[in-house]
Amino acid sequence: MAIIITDECINCDACIVECPNNAIYEPDQEWAFSDETELSGMVTTLDGRQVDADASNEPISDEFYFIASDKCTECKGFHDEPQCAAVCPVDCCIPDENHVETEEYLLQKKAWLHAE
Ligand code: SF4
Ligand code: SF4
């Protein structure tokens, strides 16, 4: 499943550089599928949505750091554990029960993001 940042976040900025998929954004920052991935132009997500990878999407939080769940692979394929959770000083990076995904699916998502 994807990881979610809760409102316990203290906006310390420690997690953002750790994410191999650039799925973490600052409060009130627009996000795009193409940010630091191989995606560009119109693409089809693994769950069948047509999206413009270069389009700017609305910030998910204007108060705390947030994770674009479409880009979070729980670090599968890169690391043994979610790196944001590993470095977070207040343990506010937790499994997102609304985005439960299998390891196989997360690995497919990683390959999709990085065009492997
Ligand atoms: S679990 Fe990994 S891929 Fe997901 S947001 Fe955290 S650092 Fe990024
Ligand atoms: S490391 Fe934790 S507290 Fe710091 S910005 Fe990331 S989620 Fe927020």
Side-chain angles (χ1 to χ4, degrees):
M1 65 189 78
I3 300 295
I4 191 170
I5 294 174
T6 73
D7 61 9
E8 309 269 302
C9 173
I10 57 171
N11 296 336
C12 77
D13 199 48
C15 55
I16 204 160
V17 298
E18 303 294 334
C19 182
N21 299 318
N22 199 17
I24 305 174
Y25 291 83
E26 296 173 9
D28 212 23
Q29 186 181 8
E30 293 185 330
W31 68 274
F33 281 95
S34 62
D35 295 334
E36 308 294 328
T37 71
E38 296 300 316
L39 299 174
S40 66
M42 293 305 295
V43 295
T44 305
T45 63
L46 291 184
D47 57 3
R49 287 169 290 142
Q50 293 276 322
V51 298
D52 180 353
D54 300 308
S56 294
N57 298 291
E58 289 291 308
I60 295 171
S61 172
D62 61 4
E63 292 184 76
F64 307 106
Y65 278 60
F66 65 87
I67 293 171
S69 56
D70 277 323
K71 298 177 72 181
C72 176
T73 63
E74 220 181 299
C75 289
K76 295 294 183 199
F78 293 104
H79 304 286
D80 291 339
E81 60 179 349
Q83 295 300 287
C84 51
V87 301
C88 181
V90 293
D91 293 334
C92 68
C93 302
I94 63 171
D96 184 353
E97 301 295 339
N98 290 320
H99 291 100
V100 177
E101 296 156 332
T102 64
E103 178 165 353
E104 182 183 9
Y105 187 90
L106 290 167
L107 287 170
Q108 287 175 356
K109 194 199 286 191
K110 183 247 184 188
W112 177 73
L113 289 166
H114 301 285
E116 292 170 356

